[in-house]
């Protein structure tokens, strides 16, 4: 079982950081890679042609291991979630009369791409809102989403957990229903992959993307995606020299190629070999693979479970355990607690969480301890809040 890993980070001792869903703190090992890489360009002769491709292959390999993809060639380095989803949108086989089913109130990047299709092709978006229930909310939301999928549905888009409150979606059930109507399944894994086990052999998504700077513990400005068989012969939104076949041979780059690199590499962003960010994200995901997402979940559960009970006893609403992640969960306040007053008390106590809609989003990691959760709970017990 994993123990506290705070020594691997440079977090200040005078803050309580329960906000990995906003941005992960920097691993010391990742920072060291970044510094070395920054100075690597001092001598350009040290950068060999093969380094462009070794860099990208190493990152794809670590991500493929993390999500249990059969080959690193099914993965693609992207600068953002929106970039990967633009590739999905361009290659979605859908038009007038078809629909896309979305879990409502998702992060905008997993909405705007589809709103553009709604305007351009006459596709209908079906937003599935969360039920206003105090118990059974996650289960009911999953049921509503499944019911919304019909014979005109061409794609279902959601996260493994909802970005604002950690509500978990039953991806196996959604996959099964999508298969029944011939729809694809597209997952924004930004708030789950790296902390919650994600197995593409189990969930069988058609596309998955994760930004690198949250649960993948990497730098801002780089992410990574997986594209399934549906996209094997697709057309990327960008045509760069590295995503074409035989681009490893610098001497023959003027012999232009119509064929792309194998698998999903066609969807990679230009300059994906980024000699600073790519090695940093590679090192970060390697660390996650060493820890294991299942172990991260277990650790988060161990340090939060006693305090979640206390919070519920105070009247705070928390999703049922079966329908939320252990690494990310929302707190909904009872009527006698004021959100703005709570926010101010967090600020005074230097407790860092996120407020998203009517939910206080709490997202611990291996650098947190039970003392952090105890401090969080005590903030809710202040008498002036009643």
């Amino acid at each position: 079982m994993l123990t506290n890993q705070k020594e691997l980070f440079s977090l200040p001792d005078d803050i309580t950081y329960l906000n990995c869903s906003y941005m992960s703190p920097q691993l010391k090992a990742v920072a060291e890679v970044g510094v070395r890489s920054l100075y690597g360009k001092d001598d350009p002769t040290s950068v060999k042609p093969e380094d462009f491709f070794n860099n990208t292959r190493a990152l794809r390999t670590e991500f493929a291991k993390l999500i249990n993809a059969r080959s690193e060639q099914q993965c693609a380095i992207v600068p953002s979630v929106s970039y990967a989803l633009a590739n999905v949108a361009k290659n979605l086989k859908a038009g007038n009369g078809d629909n896309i089913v979305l879990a409502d109130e998702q992060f905008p990047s997993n909405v705007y791409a589809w709103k553009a299709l709604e305007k351009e092709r006459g596709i209908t978006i079906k937003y599935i809102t969360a039920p206003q229930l105090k118990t059974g909310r996650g289960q009911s939301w999953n049921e509503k989403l499944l019911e919304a999928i019909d014979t005109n549905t061409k794609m279902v888009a959601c996260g493994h957990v909802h970005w604002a409150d950690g509500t978990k979606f039953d991806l196996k059930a959604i996959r099964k229903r999508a298969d029944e109507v011939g729809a694809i399944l597209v997952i924004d894994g930004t708030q789950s992959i790296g902390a919650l086990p994600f197995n593409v052999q189990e969930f069988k998504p058609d596309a998955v993307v994760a930004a690198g700077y949250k649960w993948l513990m990497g730098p801002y400005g780089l992410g990574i995606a997986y594209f399934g068989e549906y996209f094997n012969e697709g057309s990327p939104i960008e045509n760069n020299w590295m995503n074409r076949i035989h681009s490893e041979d610098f001497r023959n780059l003027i012999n232009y190629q119509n064929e792309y690199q194998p698998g999903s590499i066609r969807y990679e962003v230009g300059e994906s070999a980024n000699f600073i960010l790519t090695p940093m994200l590679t090192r970060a995901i390697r660390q996650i693979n060493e820890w294991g997402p299942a172990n991260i979940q277990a650790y988060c559960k161990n340090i939060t479970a006693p305090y979640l009970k206390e919070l519920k006893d105070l009247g705070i609403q928390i999703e049922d355990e079966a329908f939320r992640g252990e690494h990310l969960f929302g707190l909904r306040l009872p009527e006698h607690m004021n959100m703005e007053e709570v926010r101010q008390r967090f600020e005074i106590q230097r407790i860092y969480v996120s407020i998203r809609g009517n939910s206080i989003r709490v997202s611990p990691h291996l650098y947190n301890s039970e003392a952090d959760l105890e401090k969080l709970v005590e903030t809710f017990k202040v008498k002036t809040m009643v």
Side-chain angles (χ1 to χ4, degrees):
M1 182 176 293
L2 287 173
T3 57
N4 186 280
Q5 304 288 304
K6 188 174 180 179
E7 72 278 1
L8 300 182
F9 299 84
S10 297
L11 271 172
D13 291 329
D14 62 343
I15 70 170
T16 300
Y17 195 75
L18 293 163
N19 208 13
C20 193
S21 54
Y22 170 71
M23 182 181 293
S24 72
Q26 188 99 286
L27 280 157
K28 294 176 182 177
V30 172
E32 290 169 2
V33 168
V35 171
R36 288 199 305 270
S37 300
L38 180 65
Y39 287 102
K41 197 170 180 285
D42 284 355
D43 176 11
T45 66
S46 67
V47 181
K48 308 300 181 185
E50 58 267 25
D51 293 335
F52 286 79
F53 300 91
N54 292 338
N55 244 14
T56 56
R57 189 179 303 110
L59 176 51
R60 291 194 301 267
T61 297
E62 288 296 334
F63 186 68
K65 179 180 178 182
L66 180 63
I67 65 172
N68 195 27
R70 289 194 173 93
S71 167
E72 53 91 13
Q73 293 178 349
Q74 291 181 283
C75 304
I77 299 167
V78 296
S80 62
V81 169
S82 58
Y83 186 96
L85 297 185
N87 277 293
V88 171
K90 182 175 182 179
N91 292 281
L92 179 65
K93 302 175 183 69
N96 190 41
D98 296 325
N99 69 65
I100 296 171
V101 172
L102 301 183
D104 199 12
E105 296 185 346
Q106 294 192 88
F107 193 78
S109 293
N110 201 13
V111 177
Y112 289 143
W114 323 130
K115 285 179 70 68
L117 290 181
E118 187 176 40
K119 182 178 180 180
E120 294 164 6
R121 301 192 204 169
I123 298 170
T124 300
I125 299 177
K126 299 170 72 173
Y127 298 95
I128 313 306
T129 58
Q132 300 302 308
L133 300 173
K134 291 187 177 180
T135 59
R137 176 179 175 276
Q139 180 177 348
S140 179
W141 198 359
N142 271 269
E143 290 170 353
K144 287 180 64 178
L145 195 151
L146 290 172
E147 290 169 1
I149 301 170
D150 60 29
T151 54
N152 293 321
T153 301
K154 298 303 179 185
M155 182 180 74
V156 182
C158 63
H160 192 180
V161 302
H162 195 274
W163 76 288
D165 63 11
T167 302
K168 190 185 294 183
F169 293 101
D170 187 346
L171 298 186
K172 290 179 71 173
I174 296 171
R175 173 77 274 173
K176 182 175 182 295
R177 178 60 183 143
D179 283 342
E180 290 171 355
V181 300
I184 66 170
L185 175 60
V186 177
I187 304 299
D188 179 358
T190 296
Q191 293 292 8
S192 57
I193 295 178
L196 181 67
F198 190 96
N199 187 334
V200 297
Q201 308 309 323
E202 178 182 4
F203 299 136
K204 296 180 173 55
D206 296 284
V208 178
V209 61
Y213 68 99
K214 297 179 186 282
W215 302 98
L216 292 180
M217 316 302 283
Y220 187 81
L222 200 65
I224 191 157
Y226 163 93
F227 295 93
E229 185 176 338
Y230 182 94
F231 295 96
N232 277 357
E233 303 301 322
S235 177
I237 61 171
E238 174 186 342
N239 287 286
N240 61 73
W241 68 274
M242 285 186 70
N243 69 6
R244 299 288 178 149
I245 197 169
H246 304 318
S247 53
E248 297 87 349
D249 186 357
F250 281 29
R251 294 171 301 176
N252 288 306
L253 288 178
I254 60 170
N255 295 323
Y256 307 122
Q257 303 293 324
N258 292 323
E259 189 176 348
Y260 291 102
Q261 294 273 14
S264 302
I265 302 175
R266 68 181 61 209
Y267 298 113
E268 282 200 338
V269 66
E271 300 188 11
S272 57
N274 189 309
F275 292 105
I276 299 173
L277 300 185
T278 297
M280 290 176 73
L281 186 54
T282 303
R283 178 64 183 87
I285 299 178
R286 184 176 299 129
Q287 179 63 74
I288 293 168
N289 280 327
E290 291 174 9
W291 285 330
N295 295 324
I296 294 171
Q297 284 289 293
Y299 180 87
C300 291
K301 181 176 183 178
N302 286 339
I303 66 170
T304 60
Y307 302 98
L308 294 186
K309 183 181 183 304
E310 285 194 53
L311 290 170
K312 288 180 179 179
D313 290 342
L314 293 172
I316 294 170
Q317 181 183 343
I318 305 172
E319 184 57 71
D320 299 335
E321 186 176 346
F323 287 94
R324 63 167 170 81
E326 303 291 350
H327 68 295
L328 194 166
F329 48 87
L331 309 178
R332 288 183 168 82
L333 303 182
E335 291 183 3
H336 68 270
M337 290 187 186
N338 179 273
M339 179 70 83
E340 177 57 22
E341 187 176 345
V342 172
R343 187 199 66 77
Q344 291 176 8
R345 291 192 174 278
F346 285 153
E347 187 174 338
I348 292 169
Q349 295 295 321
R350 304 202 73 193
I351 297 172
Y352 290 84
V353 293
S354 291
I355 296 175
R356 297 292 181 264
N358 65 347
S359 174
I360 298 172
R361 187 179 66 183
V362 181
S363 49
H365 207 283
L366 299 179
Y367 43 77
N368 292 117
S369 66
E370 290 188 353
D372 295 328
L373 276 300
E374 183 177 4
K375 187 175 180 180
L376 177 77
V377 172
E378 290 303 314
T379 305
F380 287 100
K381 292 181 178 180
V382 178
K383 290 183 180 180
T384 56
M385 290 173 52
V386 181

